[in-house]
Amino acid sequence: MNKLMLPLTYILLLLMIQTDDKSSSSYASPAGGNMRLKLIHSQAYALKSTYDQMERIKELVHSDIVRRGTMFSKHHQSTRRKAWEKPRTRTNCSDVSIEMPISSGRDYGTGQYFVEVKVGTPPQKMLLIADTGSELTWMSCKRRNRRRGFRPTRSSTFKTVPCSSRTCKIDFADLFSLARCPTPSTPCSYDYRYSDGSGALGIFARETVTAEITNGKGRATKVEDVVVGCTLTVQGQSFQGADGVLGLAYSNYSFATRASNMFGGTFSYCLVDHLSHKYLSNYLTFGGVGVASHSPLLSHMHYTKLDLATLSPFYAVNVKGISINGALLKIPSLIWAANRGGGTIIDSGTSLTFLTEPAYRPVVGALRWALSKRLERTRLDGGGPLEYCYKYNSTSSRLRFEETWVPRLAFHFSDGARFEPPVKSYVIDAAPGVKCLGFVSAMWPGVSVIGNIMQQNHVWEFNLVQSVLGYAPSTCTSR
């Protein structure tokens, strides 16, 4: 396949950086034991104290479009995929869970969520982008001209993968390993090239990740033999200020499946509002203790089937339709059929929600009709793919914005479950005094994507053993 059309599922940056933020919050998860990673906001790592909200929106839309075009090119062009091995949980870890901090990248000016991860022995703190569309966990390795990054020479558990090995030649082929092998002991290398001109070149290795045990009062445990990429050369703006990606896709080599294999076959996260500051944070959790210990959530949990085969390595859901104020829109059922050129995935690495054209038009048509009766339509400076934007003024009774004006949108799944996001998840703040419909049109045939803004203020639990997705509304700011 053309490396220039590499899946941007790998592109998005898993920033692994040390934080001094001591505040945290978590939620519980309905099953056995688990491991949590705190989802933290990135203000402490911001390149500037303030950012232009409009420029941020335009940048995340651009990144989303590039990402979508590249991530699905891999899925459709890959000539083979390995048979997935169902997670087999370790009995000695079944009553344990681990957690890692996770937060919005709002203060950094990005639309991703960052996870604090401790890699190597002794542990080195990294801040990575949580990406359910990426199979490989990679980070920039520190070189003489870099102030930060992972230092493999300081880790006793860093072990490279030889280029002569079957692992490099066959197993890592889908991870874009290179064929060159000057000597049998030369490390297996990779070269990611993205359609926006960005790229990452490095070597494969296996490493140890350390994480705190949920409710373990400071105790930690290790996830060993994790496949990682040590990126030596980074090109393009897509990686500016980032240390790498935390691979959470459904793959034999992703961190999500490696950690889930140890802790009950599940992982979950709770995404704070995408405009939250760093002190509002939560956790990426591996294991089932999280939701179960937060009893108020249990009565509000909804469950739907995960399709882990048709659009692998992505997490596909079986959408039946979309309703506005309880009435299903006239959208052809073919749009939602993954085996007929359509389908829908849920993706933490994409910010906005993409709908293929036959679904996009009815959805934005219904919403714009309601908003146009109250507000004046406008365009973002410089244009862009956010097609429907409206001016408002919070100090003017005539031009104020009220959520009660907005029809309630819901995703309906084929098994009867329904996901009703809050209004702020699909009518988003794009600039001071401007709100836009947070949908982007995608070409048909193609896959629709439920992005992280649509997922905000909800707990999401991925059960890889039972192929079930659980979700419930939450502030994501308290246990």
Side-chain angles (χ1 to χ4, degrees), residues 195-218:
S195 63
D196 67 343
S198 299
L201 189 149
I203 59 174
F204 288 103
R206 295 185 183 272
E207 251 298 6
T208 295
V209 172
T210 301
E212 292 187 4
I213 297 175
T214 305
N215 301 324
K217 297 181 179 179

Side-chain angles (χ1 to χ4, degrees), residues 30-272:
N34 56 35
M35 152 187 172
R36 289 193 317 180
L37 297 106
K38 186 179 178 185
L39 290 165
I40 45 180
H41 196 56
S42 60
Q43 185 174 9
Y45 319 111
L47 298 179
K48 53 186 178 180
S49 58
T50 61
Y51 69 96
D52 187 305
Q53 186 175 353
M54 187 180 301
E55 289 303 314
R56 172 180 178 265
I57 288 292
K58 289 163 65 175
E59 177 58 32
L60 71 85
V61 170
H62 169 74
S63 298
D64 281 352
I65 290 174
V66 173
R67 172 185 172 85
R68 187 182 186 280
T70 53
M71 68 193 292
F72 291 117
S73 69
K74 177 187 178 187
H75 170 75
H76 291 299
Q77 295 183 35
S78 180
T79 57
R80 62 177 177 80
R81 296 210 62 85
K82 312 222 199 346
W84 169 250
E85 299 175 5
K86 278 287 186 181
R88 292 173 296 189
T89 59
R90 294 185 183 179
T91 55
N92 62 332
C93 295
S94 61
D95 58 348
V96 175
S97 65
I98 59 174
E99 62 188 19
M100 300 179 184
I102 186 170
S103 70
S104 165
R106 182 257 194 188
D107 290 317
Y108 196 80
T110 76
Q112 278 69 52
Y113 285 79
F114 300 150
V115 181
E116 185 182 287
V117 186
K118 297 177 181 178
V119 184
T121 307
Q124 300 176 40
K125 288 185 179 180
M126 302 266 115
L127 194 65
L128 305 181
I129 290 178
D131 191 355
T132 57
S134 287
E135 296 175 76
L136 178 66
T137 292
W138 68 265
M139 53 232 164
S140 295
C141 284
K142 185 174 176 63
R143 308 182 82 174
R144 291 181 180 178
N145 60 344
R146 288 181 59 86
R147 289 186 299 171
R148 69 171 193 252
F150 182 71
R151 301 191 182 197
T153 57
R154 295 188 179 183
S155 173
S156 62
T157 49
F158 183 86
K159 295 180 174 58
T160 59
V161 176
C163 64
S164 58
S165 66
R166 182 184 186 280
T167 298
C168 179
K169 295 178 179 179
I170 299 177
D171 296 343
F172 288 173
D174 281 346
L175 300 180
F176 297 89
S177 59
L178 299 178
R180 62 171 179 252
C181 191
T183 69
S185 60
T186 299
C188 181
S189 58
Y190 58 83
D191 186 5
Y192 291 157
R193 293 291 171 180
Y194 304 99
S195 63
D196 67 343
S198 299
L201 189 149
I203 59 174
F204 288 103
R206 295 185 183 272
E207 251 298 6
T208 295
V209 172
T210 301
E212 292 187 4
I213 297 175
T214 305
N215 301 324
K217 297 181 179 179
R219 292 188 300 126
T221 189
K222 299 181 183 297
V223 181
E224 300 174 335
D225 202 33
V226 176
V227 175
V228 299
C230 178
T231 294
L232 304 174
T233 301
V234 177
Q235 298 176 342
Q237 295 300 309
S238 295
F239 301 102
Q240 185 175 2
D243 287 336
V245 176
L246 183 62
L248 299 176
Y250 187 68
S251 162
N252 286 329
Y253 307 109
S254 76
F255 180 78
T257 54
R258 177 63 182 156
S260 297
N261 187 20
M262 294 178 60
F263 303 100
T266 66
F267 74 92
S268 55
Y269 54 70
C270 199
L271 301 183
V272 298

Side-chain angles (χ1 to χ4, degrees), residues 277-288:
H277 293 285
K278 78 176 182 101
Y279 52 82
L280 291 178
S281 58
N282 211 272
Y283 291 91
L284 170 62
T285 304
F286 291 85

Side-chain angles (χ1 to χ4, degrees), residues 25 33 53 81 101 130 143 168 183 216 222 234 237 287 308 322 348-349 363 367 389 392 394 400 408 426:
S25 57
Q53 186 175 353
R81 296 210 62 85
R143 308 182 82 174
C168 179
T183 69
K222 299 181 183 297
V234 177
Q237 295 300 309
L308 298 176
I322 296 176
S348 68
V363 169
L367 294 173
C389 299
Y392 73 97
S394 59
R400 72 184 187 282
R408 295 311 306 262
Y426 54 93

